């Protein structure tokens, strides 16, 4: 049962028995994410103070400039997750290939794989706008005792056992699900503890916010164009409000609290969509569904898509159920 004034550590321990694989390992895994997020948070907050902002001069596999904090966050999450004998492999948006983890003595006995976008929306750092971390956890499908393999990572979103995000915003929050609802915890920076601040988070069924990069409008599929026009029509609750931060975690977080829809459709610039199925869309879809929302590529439930490669991209429509269904209706009919 969720209680206010409960720390994340207490909540994880109290709720670990409601998780269907009750070995305590998942709790330890969430604890390590909580710790790494605190370290990254500290660094993100210093971004304006120290000479850490700006590109590191490296380009990730997606051909995008990496920011220094991307590199830092990537290292911190990987280090923290590697040390604890829980995770057998990590795939990161910032790494070309997955990382195999095996300590000398445990002979590939770890059960979980983690997929992570260590610092999403990092182009916002230089201008002091919120960024986030997104993570997704699966049980491996290959036998214990063997090295982790690609198929352990290429699982459908519906097989996720946990997912969450951290938003480094006006306050820092960690929001996660283990398939039993969604809870949000706010970091008290003076003490360094996260407190349960948003128990049982739910998307309102309907909303009046739409979030999309309208600069790409001319390239959008007809169904999306017509849905955007529908959002702008003067009828009933409409026109809706347009809000786009350009930081998925922040746009999602606002929409979950206030009711809204986020869209990143395909366009000629991003013919398959921009967002990554494994690091961004699946974890957000799991959280959305656990919070009574919906996530789709316009036609198919995100979590039903069979992944074929680690860095795969998909169109993404996510948010309040009725709004996503309306957008899907426009996609089907156009
Ligand atoms: P990133 O992982 O390189 O940071 O890209 C993902 C981000 C999302 O957070 C955000 O919603 C989207 O890219 C914004 O893209 P655009 O600037 O094309 O609107
Ligand atoms: Mg990202």
């Amino acid at each position: 049962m969720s209680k206010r004034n409960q720390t994340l550590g207490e909540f994880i321990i109290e709720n670990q028995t409601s998780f269907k694989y009750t070995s305590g390992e998942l709790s330890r895994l969430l604890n390590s994410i909580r710790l790494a997020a605190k370290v990254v948070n500290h660094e993100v907050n210093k971004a304006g103070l120290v000479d850490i902002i700006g590109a590191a001069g490296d380009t990730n596999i997606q051909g995008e400039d990496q920011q220094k904090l991307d590199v830092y966050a990537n290292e911190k999450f990987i280090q923290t997750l590697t040390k604890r004998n829980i995770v057998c492999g990590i795939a990161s948006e910032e790494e070309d290939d997955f990382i195999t983890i095996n300590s000398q003595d445990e002979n590939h006995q770890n059960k979980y794989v983690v997929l992570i976008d260590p610092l999403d929306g990092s182009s916002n750092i230089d201008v002091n706008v919120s960024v986030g971390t997104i993570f997704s956890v699966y049980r491996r499908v290959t036998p214990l005792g063997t090295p982790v393999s690609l198929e352990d990572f290429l699982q459908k979103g519906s097989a996720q056992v946990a997912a969450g995000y951290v938003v480094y915003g006006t306050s820092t929050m960690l929001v996660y699900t283990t398939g039993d609802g969604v809870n949000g915890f706010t970091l008290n920076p003076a003490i360094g503890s996260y407190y349960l601040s948003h128990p049982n988070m739910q998307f309102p069924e309907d909303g009046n916010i739409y979030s999309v990069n309208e600069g790409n409008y001319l390239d959008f599929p007809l169904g999306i164009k017509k849905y955007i026009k529908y959002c702008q029509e003067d009828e009933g609750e409409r026109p809706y409000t347009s809000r786009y931060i350009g930081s998925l975690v922040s746009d999602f977080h606002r929409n979950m609290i206030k009711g809204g829809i986020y869209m990143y459709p395909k366009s000629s610039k991003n013919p398959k969509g921009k967002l990554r199925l494994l690091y961004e869309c699946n974890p957000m879809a799991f959280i959305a569904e656990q919070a009574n929302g919906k996530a789709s590529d316009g036609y198919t439930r995100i979590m039903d898509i069979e992944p074929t490669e680690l860095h795969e991209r998909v169109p993404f429509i996510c948010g309040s159920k009725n709004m996503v269904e309306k957008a899907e209706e426009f996609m089907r009919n156009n």
Side-chain angles (χ1 to χ4, degrees), residues 93 117 120-121 276 280:
E93 193 183 295
D117 183 353
D120 183 65
R276 293 79 173 169
E280 291 162 333

Side-chain angles (χ1 to χ4, degrees), residues 133-175:
T133 295
I134 308 172
F135 64 91
S136 171
V137 183
Y138 296 81
R139 278 171 81 89
R140 65 182 300 176
V141 288
T142 51
L144 289 180
T146 62
V148 71
S149 87
L150 185 59
E151 63 183 295
D152 294 312
F153 296 94
L154 298 186
Q155 298 187 53
K156 285 202 273 191
S158 54
Q160 286 172 102
V161 295
Y165 62 79
V166 183
V167 55
Y168 309 99
T170 42
S171 56
T172 295
M173 274 190 75
L174 192 152
V175 173

Side-chain angles (χ1 to χ4, degrees), residues 52-57 66-69 126:
I52 198 163
I53 48 171
Q66 277 187 1
Q67 306 281 309
K68 280 184 184 171
L69 276 171
D126 294 6

